[in-house]
Amino acid sequence: MKIINEERTKELNALKAINEKQGQELTKASNLLTTQEAKLNEASTSLDELKNEIKNNRRTEQRLRRQRDTWAASGVLAFIVGAAGAIR
């Protein structure tokens, strides 16, 4: 009976060691997941900022294009008015 109890104690200790090791691995995995989640959130925020920057750059390009076209049209109009005044 004593031998059986010693065998069971050894097996129980081995199982406890396995259980503890699994607990440590789970803790490591949980920490890794938390770190990865933080990095993904940071990347998502960065992508949102870049998306907004691109939108703003497009708006600026459109505004500058409109201004350029307006100045070009007003220059042509001034030339035509000046040419018409010179002909008279």
Side-chain angles (χ1 to χ4, degrees), residues 23-39:
Q24 291 170 355
E25 292 297 321
L26 285 172
T27 301
K28 286 180 188 178
S30 177
N31 290 340
L32 183 60
L33 284 173
T34 302
T35 302
Q36 288 175 343
E37 182 181 15
K39 288 182 180 181

Side-chain angles (χ1 to χ4, degrees), residues 56-74:
N56 288 337
N57 287 343
R58 284 185 182 154
R59 286 185 198 132
T60 300
E61 287 174 10
Q62 289 173 349
R63 179 180 47 82
L64 291 173
R65 192 174 298 122
R66 282 192 309 268
Q67 288 176 352
R68 180 200 65 204
D69 293 346
T70 301
W71 280 108
S74 63

Side-chain angles (χ1 to χ4, degrees), residues 43-59:
S44 178
T45 301
S46 179
L47 285 172
D48 286 342
E49 289 173 2
L50 286 172
K51 182 177 157 187
N52 289 334
E53 262 185 64
I54 289 170
K55 279 183 183 179
N56 288 337
N57 287 343
R58 284 185 182 154
R59 286 185 198 132

Side-chain angles (χ1 to χ4, degrees), residues 2-50:
K2 186 177 179 182
I3 295 173
I4 293 173
N5 282 341
E6 287 174 2
E7 292 277 332
R8 287 186 178 167
T9 301
K10 287 179 186 178
E11 290 175 3
L12 182 60
N13 288 337
L15 290 173
K16 284 180 182 179
I18 290 170
N19 193 25
E20 185 177 322
K21 195 170 189 177
Q22 286 176 338
Q24 291 170 355
E25 292 297 321
L26 285 172
T27 301
K28 286 180 188 178
S30 177
N31 290 340
L32 183 60
L33 284 173
T34 302
T35 302
Q36 288 175 343
E37 182 181 15
K39 288 182 180 181
L40 283 172
N41 286 336
E42 184 180 329
S44 178
T45 301
S46 179
L47 285 172
D48 286 342
E49 289 173 2
L50 286 172

